Amino acid sequence: MIEVDGLTVVYGRGETSVPAVAGLSMEVDTYELVSVVGPSGCGKSTLLFVLAGLLRPTAGRVRVHGEEVRGVRRDVALILQDAGLLPWKTVRQNAELALRLQGRKDSADQVLADLGLAGFEKRYPSELSEGMKRRVGIARALALQPRVMLMDEPTANLDSITREHIQNLILGLWWEMGFTGVLVTHDMEEAVFLGRRIYVLSARPARVAEVIENPGMGEPGYRGTPEFAAQVAHLRQVLGGNGA
Amino acid sequence: MTRTFRQALSYLLAVGVVIGLWWGVSWLLETIREREILPTPGVTFAAAVENIGTLASAFGTSALRFLIALAVAFLLGLPLGLAVGFERRLDQYLSPLIYLLYPMPPVALLLFLYLAFGLGEVVRLVVVVMALFFQVVVAAQGAAKYIVPSHVTAVRSAGATRWQIYRHVVLPATLPSVLTAARVSVGLGITMLYIAETKLGVLLGPGGGLGRFIEYYTFRGDISLAGVVGLALLGLLFYVVLELLERFLCRWKFVGARGGA
Ligand SMILES: Nc1ncnc2c1ncn2[C@@H]1O[C@H](COP(=O)(O)OP(=O)(O)O)[C@@H](O)[C@H]1O
Ligand SMILES: [Mg+2]
């Protein structure tokens, strides 16, 4: 369970300060997957960084499983925009990075195999396709077996086939592992496909403009239904009316 | 394997060209001035063979001296440069200081170095270390300034300590450019080594370093020149070693479609 109450984040101080989030409140139930959608630069990554304990709120409160977030938590994993792989580490070293930093000896081989990366363990990121890099980024988070998964635009800048593949993968993992998830995106179809509820953010500084219930979400086949198309159309309208 | 072979071949070719040029210049000077000025490769080689014991000892001493100086420069300069480049506060306060000291040639301070350290081994090492140290510091600082933020976020989000950030991100990210800078600085380092071994090496015998060897045989052009060749080979040796080190430690730079990214 994630509770965000009146979150405000301001970068810098004085005249050059940049307000990125302004009084944002949201709630994610345990085992719920929600999507957060908003225009580029509105403060989505900033919100995730606060949830991950990387950034202190300027004001407001953030709680995970009832505890105030004061730093990085071991039961929370963050998938970075563009995967954030380290070019000097192999696929295996990247996937096991978070484990090793936490002093855990577990292997990530099974997770890599599950994500279709078997045989690539000794390759470097520069030898991989963009879609494979994203999967390694997902593997790094999954290897921690987290209770909360924070995902920052996991399919941005991918071709549409690879994007759908990764989206299906995330949906499958959510069913299988049962994590509490927050997925940030600026892609409307992705927001509808992967969000049980959809938080629509305003332009910077981010606050919640609207919350859309999306009960049809949860099946790969949802994408082809008229219901899905209607939700996307609705979301487009909300985002457009929002000046985004 | 073929790449290594081709590289070895190109080095061999370069050696051939250098010897050819050398011989040409020797011949030209002798024709114009009507007396021997630059000993020919053949004469020099003969002088080297004749004095091989002393020459080898001088080469070994110089090589060890340079290796120690290089290691000390790295050990001191790398942590300082990385910290100054990566920690914004340190950058603010220490950068002006570094850039003030960086262009100052240690040669200009020889007198004070001599007074401070005497004419022992330490002072010779200090001169070479000073030159290489600033090269390493400036290279490390420059590279550490441009660390990709998402790489730091990647380890921080897993709860990395400050030390782990350096160990897993800052050091490996900057190592290629630091090693390249070190390779480029070998020339400067060899020059400083020569100065240290001549100006601060008067108490040494001819086997006490290539600089001393060259100076000791000032009036035997052929032997002296053999020492110069030794100095050139020493530079080449360290250049190659640093390149191999980079290929080994930064393997990731040499794979993938665009040779790493
Ligand atoms: N470290 C920072 N210092 C100052 N401004 C920042 C910093 N990080 C992000 N910003 C600004 O905050 C705003 C929100 O950024 P971000 O959360 O990355 O947006 P999004 O992920 O929605 O594209 C942007 O205008 C960005 O320029
Ligand atoms: Mg972002």
Side-chain angles (χ1 to χ4, degrees), chain A residues 24-104:
Chain A
L24 183 148
S25 298
M26 65 186 288
E27 224 178 89
V28 185
D29 286 332
T30 306
Y31 303 130
E32 189 184 26
L33 180 55
V34 305
S35 55
V36 174
V37 63
S40 286
C42 76
K44 303 184 295 297
S45 294
T46 304
L47 168 66
L48 281 195
F49 285 3
V50 172
L51 296 184
L54 292 170
L55 209 59
R56 285 284 160 93
T58 309
R61 311 182 62 178
V62 176
R63 269 173 296 178
V64 170
H65 302 133
E67 293 166 20
E68 188 102 15
V69 173
R70 295 178 186 285
V72 172
R73 294 172 57 103
R74 291 195 168 201
D75 56 351
V76 177
L78 174 65
I79 297 173
L80 289 172
Q81 204 167 331
D82 296 322
L85 302 184
L86 304 182
W88 43 87
K89 291 192 185 283
T90 61
V91 166
R92 177 185 282 124
Q93 289 169 334
N94 265 294
E96 292 177 347
L97 178 67
L99 288 169
R100 294 298 173 268
L101 290 171
Q102 300 183 3
R104 289 160 63 177

Side-chain angles (χ1 to χ4, degrees), chain B residues 32-48:
Chain B
I32 296 170
R33 308 295 299 269
E34 296 177 335
R35 65 187 172 90
E36 191 199 82
I37 292 185
L38 186 70
T40 61
V43 170
T44 309
F45 184 71

